[in-house]
Amino acid sequence: MGYRSYVAVGDSFTEGLNDPLPDAPPPAPGEVVRYRGWADRVAERLALLEPDFRYANLAVRGKLIDQIVADQVPVAVQLRPDLISFCAGGNDLIRPGADPDEMAKKLAAAVRDLRATGADVVLFTGTDPRDTPIMRQLRGKFAIFFMHVRSIADLYGCHLVDMWSMQGLRDWRAWSGDRLHMNAEGHRLVAARVLHVLGVPGEDDWRKTWPPRETVDPRAKRREDVQWLREHFGPWIGRRLRGTSSGDGLAPKRPELGPLPPAP
């Protein structure tokens, strides 16, 4: 079917970190960097197929599932688009004490409200964290939550984008240096998978096979892991322990349904 309106709901993954806008000038000191991301890419494709297409992206980096359900879901319900994408929980799962069963209950209630509007809803499993230091220890918790997501998608008749099965995302060349957010290529692959799930023709294939890489010295790999922990994961955990977020005070990049500018 053709979609005339689309609202994206979620956190940094849906906001688009770290997929920079093409030809964007360097940000001024203190200016918030805005990104493109898979949701924008999907919207750009849908806009080519529907002249009156409108798009809103309510996602804000760093948000927890409670915040997304409280702040973004009611807006999406009020906007009543044809299509809603909803991805939440990644920031919660890494927190100590996160309960994937309780998270799933909150997700299910929100999905029920979104589906009640008559919109098609797209849900996501996350990627397998087994290749990521520290987070691989939480693999069981991630798997439980993502199984709940699959069940919720089945129960409420939602589309499901299963990123756990996307082997192209197992390669670090699909990720930015922080290993927490995809780069432009990763977002391109996710957009291709979303379009495939929706049955919308696209130009890209999500089944990517990367060319072989040179063998990495294990000692160099360990040094890279230590540097990542110090420069990226450590500060991320520090913000969580302080109860702060990179998204504090930020507004959504597209808070209202509106037409898209020409695709870059």
Side-chain angles (χ1 to χ4, degrees), residues 218-264:
R219 292 171 298 181
K221 179 65 168 61
R222 286 193 293 270
R223 287 195 297 270
E224 290 178 359
D225 289 345
V226 170
Q227 183 178 7
W228 171 75
L229 287 168
R230 182 176 62 250
E231 295 182 2
H232 297 289
F233 192 71
W236 190 93
I237 289 294
R239 289 195 298 272
R240 297 302 174 273
L241 294 176
R242 293 191 300 272
T244 61
S245 166
S246 58
D248 288 346
L250 292 186
K253 63 180 181 180
R254 295 185 61 90
E256 299 180 359
L257 282 172
L260 277 168

Side-chain angles (χ1 to χ4, degrees), residues 142-211:
F142 277 77
I144 290 171
F145 181 66
F146 296 149
M147 283 302 296
H148 279 306
V149 173
R150 297 185 70 92
S151 298
I152 292 166
D154 185 53
L155 179 63
Y156 290 103
C158 302
H159 299 284
L160 180 69
V161 175
D162 182 13
M163 294 195 297
W164 192 285
S165 69
M166 293 180 66
Q167 294 301 303
L169 297 180
R170 293 278 313 279
D171 194 294
W172 286 120
R173 284 172 284 186
W175 296 79
S176 59
D178 66 9
R179 303 188 188 179
L180 299 170
H181 301 101
M182 298 174 190
N183 58 22
E185 182 62 12
H187 281 283
R188 186 190 67 79
L189 293 175
V190 173
R193 185 68 186 271
V194 173
L195 292 171
H196 174 82
V197 167
L198 293 175
V200 176
E203 298 177 351
D204 297 320
D205 187 355
W206 61 268
R207 298 177 182 86
K208 183 178 181 71
T209 300
W210 293 89

Side-chain angles (χ1 to χ4, degrees), residues 19-182:
D19 181 8
L21 289 166
D23 303 321
E31 182 182 4
V32 176
V33 179
R34 294 298 185 182
Y35 296 95
R36 188 184 183 189
W38 67 264
D40 284 18
R41 292 168 179 266
V42 168
E44 290 160 10
R45 186 64 185 175
L46 295 177
L48 292 176
L49 305 175
E50 175 56 56
D52 298 323
F53 179 80
R54 297 174 301 145
Y55 168 54
N57 190 318
L58 309 179
V60 176
R61 64 197 74 174
K63 295 303 181 182
L64 301 171
I65 193 168
D66 282 345
Q67 296 170 311
I68 294 169
V69 169
D71 299 335
Q72 299 180 31
V73 169
V75 177
V77 168
Q78 185 178 25
L79 291 173
R80 303 189 70 84
D82 298 330
L83 176 68
I84 301 170
S85 64
F86 182 23
C87 186
N91 291 314
D92 299 76
L93 287 167
I94 305 177
R95 290 189 167 216
D99 185 340
D101 298 322
E102 288 300 315
M103 291 169 56
K105 291 178 182 178
K106 297 171 183 177
L107 181 75
V111 169
R112 183 185 61 228
D113 292 343
L114 294 172
R115 285 289 286 146
T117 67
D120 281 1
V121 173
V122 181
L123 300 180
F124 297 77
T125 73
T127 56
D128 187 346
R130 69 178 178 177
D131 300 317
T132 308
I134 305 297
M135 284 194 286
R136 68 168 64 100
Q137 300 175 27
L138 305 174
R139 194 182 184 205
K141 185 186 293 187
F142 277 77
I144 290 171
F145 181 66
F146 296 149
M147 283 302 296
H148 279 306
V149 173
R150 297 185 70 92
S151 298
I152 292 166
D154 185 53
L155 179 63
Y156 290 103
C158 302
H159 299 284
L160 180 69
V161 175
D162 182 13
M163 294 195 297
W164 192 285
S165 69
M166 293 180 66
Q167 294 301 303
L169 297 180
R170 293 278 313 279
D171 194 294
W172 286 120
R173 284 172 284 186
W175 296 79
S176 59
D178 66 9
R179 303 188 188 179
L180 299 170
H181 301 101
M182 298 174 190

